[in-house]
Amino acid sequence: MTSESPLAIELVDVWKRFPGVVANAGATLSVKKGTIHAVLGENGAGKSTLMNILSGVYRPDEGQVRINGEQHWFHSPSDALASGIGMVHQEFRLVPSFTVAENIVLGASEKIIRRSLIEKEVEQIAQQFGLVIDPTRPVWQLSMGERQRVEILKTLWRKAQILILDEPTAVLTPAEADELGNVLRKIAEDGRTVVFISHKLHEVTAFCDEATVLRGGKTVASTLKVEEVNESDLAGLMVGSSPMISERPPYQEPGEAMLTIEGLGTLDDRFLPAVKNLNLTIKSGEIVGIAGVSGNGQREMAQAIAGLRPITSGKVTISGKDLTNAPPSERFTAGLGYVPEDRLGVGLAPRLTVTENAILRCYKSLRKSIFLVSEQAVNYCKEIIDRFGVRTGPIDEPIAGLSGGNLQRLLVGRELSGNPKVVLAAQPTRGLDVQGVKAIQDLLIDERAEGVAVLLISEDLDELLTLSDRLLVMHEGEIVKEFDPANAHRHEIGAAMAGKRDES
Amino acid sequence: MKRLVLVRREQSLRGGQPLSFLIGLVVALLAGILLLVASGHNPLEIYERLFNSSVGSSNAWAKTLNRAVPLGLAGLAVAVAGSMGLWNIGAEGQILAGAMMAAWIAQIGEGWASPLLIPLMLIASILGGALLASGPGIARAQIGVNEIITTLMLNEVALRLLQWLIHGPWKDPESRGFPLAPLLADEARLPKLFGRAHWGVIIAFLVIAFFGFIVSRTAWGYELKVAGSSGATARYAGISLNKKIITVMVLSGGIAGLAGGIELSGTSDRIVEGVSGGYGFAGIIVAALALMRPSGVAAVALIFGAVQVGGLSIQTLGVSSSVSTILQALILFGAIGAGVFNRYSLKSVKREKKGGST
């Protein structure tokens, strides 16, 4: 460690397990006082869990939390706040009908509160850090950026010396994000410490002093000086190098075009362009991999192809059939199997039984007039379970009891059971254990052998390099480069993920 | 330090329902002994009356069944909406709307024969409840207005309308100043099944069975359950939600309205302010205890009805109404709430306490 400034935060060898998942497996973090420190990692890398441990929401199974050199064992967020740690969560925790000042004082320990005094204090702090806001305005009138300022003010008013911001720029426009960067700099110059969670590389290099990279719950690089690294290095560190599991399938000549996407455009949840003029053709018997730092339009692209997000421009065709405006069920019948990124809650309905989830795609064909024939449903479900090796309890019990790997087998099995021509798999192995990863990867390889066209979106670079016949890199809603997985270099892929374009 | 936590069982206990019911009932009655002794009563005497008055004779059964009818229908109304994840908190108002519509038809159809008049009254009551619930349904489907608030507020609207009617246009001239509507004609009253139990018992049972079947056995009911479990999953499966939200709210309101029609025609015989009897709100409890499953509503309503009838009866032995209410709640939650142990087991875990160093 350098001697220039003392450490404000030290997390040492932190472990946190949840049922079926190890969220943190020996993560460490050291942050110097008065700096802005980025915590980087893909979704599921354990960033949020680690920050929730730091801010007292979770208690670690093992490991130490030291603040200013002193060991702490927080029992609650208010415990952590008492030690000067404030967190700005992704989801704001504000009462819309209250004013800014009322929200800031809400939950404070003072018994008697003078409104004018609070408003003055808030005004003062706001001015000091350049957080322009009127403390008397009700929160419902504020934009997302302004609401975030209220959250930051809340922690500053409570005298937090350490501020944790969980993906703060996810809700902001680029201009607002730049402004946030200036605010954070002022906060750090005031001698406070800022922890900035993100997976947007350019923000990290623009705003932060040092960075720690998490992958699979572990710290893979700690206290990197941001000046000394570039975005491609960071991208390379973030994406996985999980143990290679499935064998690279033998070469096979691809057949005719199955999925054709021409000039696809779609918007994200804030109605900003997420995918721009994307062209892609996948042939029968071919796996095309999509790499990219998450948040670059992969999710929106998959949803647009699956029919869950309106297509603003372009055309989607499956084996010659135009499905641009077709509802999701029609796409399934036309031969599109879709394994969504969010398994529970999109792909599977959590409170329904195994059988009810198994027939989600085909229940209309199991009808006899208005009735659902339960024998047929049960047989259909048993077929999926047998063919794809899903281990379940009784199939008339809610799926909540299944492990992550078996949930995914059920979901993938169901999508493959319609004998699709095209399979769209978004993060199909994320968060699964070794066996689960292999099972799902093998299923995709089998489908390829049977002549199915597979579009694989993944954050695991090894998975992409192993399975794909072609590897495309997505950046800011566009495909910036294509690689031949057999001869690709990791650092070149990393550079493309950071936005370096294909010159040729 | 140890603490108890509920852990979900790998699989539900098969056939554990009757056993958990009995065990829960016994535990509740034992706890009730403490309550009764503390309030200076003889528990044996009270329990004997509680039992006899609710299920001890055919007369007692009639009372219990008559109470179970509006409870079951109101519970069904809430459960049908609940199986799609919607909250109909307005069953109380929908019951009133149903009762008012039925009373109106009874006025129009004065002198008509029962086989014509009663079905018309009940259909009108369904329409009344459905109409009141359709507004919240449309608002929820079209512009996303929270149905909890709209259905709740419409309770008040229905109540005020009823108050206006019984203080004004519908006031019985012979009521000596009391705000009451006139008694229904004999033709407008539901015939008796046995004792004081009326045919509403059969109607309610059929309606509950019908919806239980629809929700659990049809493709439409399946879509409802998917939508109730996760809206995103429903969209993924290509299930359109808007039309379904309106249909479900209208059905839910219609069921509650029918409860009002039956209550008017079978039990209260006239429109008074308390014609809805709080059943609309009790229906929320019934549905919750039935785990929002329409098929489970009938059994819960029956137990609920019996407990209410018994609870009223023991007040004639000098048990105060508050002690009686506590006792009712104990029995209800003991007997039905114990069902949770069919799905969860109780485990004692050591509280992690690591303090200082690791």
Side-chain angles (χ1 to χ4, degrees):
Chain A
M1 296 295 143
T2 46
S3 54
E4 30 190 277
S5 55
L7 288 178
I9 307 168
E10 280 172 280
L11 296 179
V12 186
D13 199 22
V14 170
W15 286 76
K16 180 72 188 174
R17 298 173 191 89
F18 294 105
V21 186
V22 182
N24 287 145
T28 59
L29 176 69
S30 311
V31 181
K32 296 190 190 80
K33 195 168 185 299
T35 62
I36 306 179
H37 192 103
V39 175
L40 274 164
E42 290 284 15
N43 291 325
K47 292 169 298 189
S48 292
T49 307
L50 194 64
M51 291 307 116
N52 279 325
I53 286 171
L54 179 56
S55 63
V57 177
Y58 296 149
R59 279 159 287 284
D61 297 336
E62 286 169 40
Q64 296 182 7
V65 177
R66 274 183 242 148
I67 306 299
N68 297 322
E70 207 176 302
Q71 181 150 353
H72 283 266
W73 188 263
F74 300 131
H75 289 279
S76 67
S78 48
D79 236 19
L81 194 62
S83 304
I85 299 175
M87 181 148 177
V88 176
H89 291 272
Q90 242 171 333
E91 311 282 328
F92 298 148
R93 287 144 197 222
L94 300 171
V95 183
S97 53
F98 281 16
T99 68
V100 171
E102 283 166 346
N103 267 289
I104 286 172
V105 84
L106 189 69
S109 48
E110 281 87 344
K111 291 280 178 292
I112 299 166
I113 291 160
R114 269 177 42 216
R115 179 185 295 272
S116 58
L117 184 74
I118 301 293
E119 284 171 359
K120 206 177 279 171
E121 282 178 15
V122 170
E123 187 97 57
Q124 216 166 29
I125 303 172
Q127 265 177 6
Q128 186 187 347
F129 297 106
L131 289 153
V132 193
I133 202 138
D134 175 1
T136 61
R137 273 178 74 192
V139 160
W140 62 266
Q141 293 180 350
L142 306 180
S143 72
M144 290 314 262
E146 288 172 310
R147 287 179 199 204
Q148 187 174 61
R149 280 178 226 156
V150 180
E151 287 280 9
I152 295 173
L153 278 169
K154 210 156 96 179
T155 60
L156 290 172
W157 184 77
R158 289 170 197 200
K159 310 209 164 36
Q161 289 301 314
I162 295 170
L163 267 77
I164 307 166
L165 293 98
D166 191 359
E167 302 201 13
T169 56
V171 294
L172 301 182
T173 61
E176 283 177 324
D178 287 343
E179 207 179 314
L180 175 67
N182 295 333
V183 169
L184 295 183
R185 181 50 63 197
K186 282 189 188 146
I187 292 173
E189 278 167 2
D190 189 48
R192 302 176 204 239
T193 310
V194 178
V195 179
F196 184 93
I197 304 172
S198 182
H199 50 229
K200 291 188 187 163
L201 300 171
H202 62 96
E203 285 167 1
V204 170
T205 47
F207 305 158
C208 301
D209 302 309
E210 293 186 328
T212 293
V213 183
L214 294 182
R215 192 172 67 218
K218 294 188 190 66
T219 300
V220 291
S222 61
T223 51
L224 295 168
K225 289 234 181 308
V226 167
E227 303 155 3
E228 295 165 10
V229 293
N230 57 36
E231 292 182 18
S232 354
D233 297 340
L234 291 174
L237 283 167
M238 276 164 72
V239 290
S241 60
S242 59
M244 254 197 264
I245 289 165
S246 291
E247 299 256 317
R248 186 172 172 76
Y251 176 80
Q252 70 183 44
E253 191 65 37
E256 56 188 301
M258 281 296 183
L259 174 69
T260 314
I261 296 163
E262 292 163 78
L264 180 75
T266 191
L267 305 178
D268 65 13
D269 296 336
R270 288 173 296 152
F271 301 104
L272 299 171
V275 176
K276 303 159 202 158
N277 190 27
L278 186 130
N279 295 296
L280 181 63
T281 304
I282 307 180
K283 295 182 181 142
S284 163
E286 186 182 45
I287 298 182
V288 173
I290 302 275
V293 176
S294 57
N296 275 288
Q298 301 97 313
R299 187 168 156 265
E300 287 81 2
M301 176 187 71
Q303 289 173 340
I305 298 173
L308 296 177
R309 189 173 283 275
I311 292 173
T312 50
S313 67
K315 207 172 146 188
V316 174
T317 334
I318 287 177
S319 71
K321 194 173 177 203
D322 184 355
L323 293 169
T324 311
N325 298 311
S329 48
E330 199 179 307
R331 291 172 203 238
F332 180 76
T333 356
L336 175 71
Y338 172 41
V339 181
E341 190 173 336
D342 311 292
R343 282 160 218 163
L344 223 49
V346 177
L348 299 167
R351 274 181 287 152
L352 299 192
T353 67
V354 177
T355 311
E356 284 168 333
N357 271 290
I359 61 168
L360 192 67
R361 288 296 209 161
C362 69
Y363 69 93
K364 283 188 176 141
S365 65
L366 303 177
R367 278 182 305 187
K368 200 172 177 185
S369 74
I370 62 162
F371 302 111
L372 216 59
V373 186
S374 67
E375 283 159 46
Q376 281 184 29
V378 166
N379 288 340
Y380 190 86
C381 176
K382 281 186 176 154
E383 236 176 80
I384 293 180
I385 287 175
D386 289 346
R387 187 171 148 205
F388 299 98
V390 189
R391 281 201 316 245
T392 71
I395 58 173
D396 53 352
E397 288 279 327
I399 56 165
L402 267 63
S403 72
N406 281 309
L407 283 175
Q408 186 69 337
R409 274 182 224 216
L410 178 66
L411 171 54
V412 173
R414 184 187 71 208
E415 295 303 308
L416 299 184
S417 67
N419 295 321
K421 295 176 181 140
V422 178
V423 170
L424 173 51
Q427 318 293 356
T429 61
R430 183 161 74 195
L432 301 186
D433 57 16
V434 178
Q435 271 182 321
V437 170
K438 179 163 168 50
I440 301 296
Q441 289 179 344
D442 285 348
L443 283 176
L444 294 177
I445 293 170
D446 291 349
E447 289 298 304
R448 170 184 178 272
E450 307 220 331
V452 173
V454 180
L455 180 59
L456 172 65
I457 300 170
S458 177
E459 282 162 2
D460 185 334
L461 199 50
D462 283 327
E463 173 171 285
L464 289 169
L465 289 171
T466 310
L467 298 185
S468 316
D469 295 295
R470 291 190 288 140
L471 178 62
L472 308 177
V473 176
M474 227 174 141
H475 181 255
E476 292 187 347
E478 292 171 286
I479 288 169
V480 291
K481 199 158 179 171
E482 176 168 342
F483 290 93
D484 171 8
N487 308 308
H489 291 287
R490 293 184 84 88
H491 65 268
E492 282 176 13
I493 299 173
M497 285 166 72
K500 192 164 172 287
R501 293 209 158 248
D502 206 343
E503 305 299 338
S504 55
Chain B
M1 201 159 68
K2 287 201 170 182
R3 65 186 171 141
L4 293 173
V5 290
L6 280 176
V7 181
R8 186 182 260 279
R9 290 182 197 275
E10 292 269 306
Q11 56 188 87
S12 304
L13 290 184
R14 300 275 143 153
Q17 214 70 37
L19 190 67
S20 68
F21 170 77
L22 277 178
I23 296 175
L25 188 64
V26 169
V27 171
L29 291 177
L30 289 176
I33 290 177
L34 295 180
L35 175 75
L36 290 170
V37 169
S39 54
H41 299 284
N42 175 2
L44 272 182
E45 182 198 10
I46 303 289
Y47 281 162
E48 191 185 358
R49 169 64 75 83
L50 196 65
F51 181 83
N52 284 339
S53 64
S54 58
V55 290
S57 65
S58 87
N59 196 13
W61 269 105
K63 279 191 201 162
T64 292
L65 284 169
N66 279 357
R67 264 193 184 255
V69 168
L71 284 170
L73 287 174
L76 179 68
V78 177
V80 164
S83 45
M84 197 183 167
L86 296 168
W87 282 99
N88 179 9
I89 309 293
E92 187 79 6
Q94 291 146 16
I95 290 175
L96 293 178
M100 285 187 280
M101 286 288 281
W104 185 49
I105 296 295
Q107 284 184 3
I108 294 173
E110 214 183 326
W112 296 356
S114 287
L116 174 68
L117 183 57
I118 291 175
L120 283 178
M121 283 169 67
L122 295 186
I123 290 169
S125 70
I126 294 172
L127 292 177
L131 188 72
L132 199 65
S134 63
I138 293 167
R140 168 68 200 258
Q142 301 299 336
I143 45 176
V145 178
N146 187 329
E147 77 285 357
I148 300 178
I149 294 169
T150 47
T151 52
L152 183 65
M153 291 197 300
L154 282 174
N155 285 334
E156 202 67 11
V157 173
L159 180 63
R160 298 293 172 223
L161 182 65
L162 182 138
Q163 284 173 340
W164 172 70
L165 284 172
I166 58 177
H167 282 97
W170 283 7
K171 190 167 175 181
D172 183 359
E174 288 157 38
S175 71
R176 277 174 274 154
F178 288 108
L180 302 167
L183 277 172
L184 293 182
D186 283 344
E187 294 80 35
R189 297 191 193 179
L190 273 172
K192 299 289 181 259
L193 191 60
F194 69 89
R196 284 167 63 187
H198 54 71
W199 269 87
V201 175
I202 302 292
I203 299 172
F205 182 78
L206 290 178
V207 170
I208 292 171
F210 175 74
F211 278 96
F213 184 77
I214 291 281
V215 171
S216 63
R217 292 273 177 261
T218 65
W220 187 80
Y222 171 74
E223 290 179 347
L224 218 61
K225 283 188 284 184
V226 174
S229 178
S230 158
T233 310
R235 273 192 296 280
Y236 168 86
I239 298 167
S240 60
L241 296 179
N242 286 5
K243 212 177 109 194
K244 222 160 251 112
I245 290 173
I246 298 173
T247 317
V248 164
M249 285 305 286
V250 164
L251 285 174
S252 173
I255 295 166
L258 177 64
I262 291 178
E263 187 62 11
L264 173 82
S265 167
T267 306
S268 83
D269 299 336
R270 67 177 358 150
I271 293 281
V272 291
E273 193 167 325
V275 69
S276 57
Y279 295 124
F281 293 119
I284 300 168
I285 304 173
V286 172
L289 289 172
L291 304 173
M292 288 293 160
R293 287 197 201 118
S295 51
V297 161
V300 175
L302 201 59
I303 299 167
F304 207 137
V307 170
Q308 275 195 347
V309 168
L312 279 176
S313 176
I314 57 171
Q315 289 179 34
T316 61
L317 292 177
V319 177
S320 71
S321 78
S322 23
V323 170
S324 160
T325 311
I326 297 174
L327 193 64
Q328 289 177 43
L330 268 178
I331 297 173
L332 203 59
F333 285 94
I336 303 169
V340 79
F341 293 109
N342 290 318
R343 287 172 299 122
Y344 292 88
S345 61
L346 208 53
K347 275 210 176 105
S348 131
V349 293
K350 249 194 209 140
R351 201 158 184 164
E352 47 185 79
K353 191 171 187 220
K354 290 191 177 171
S357 60
T358 319

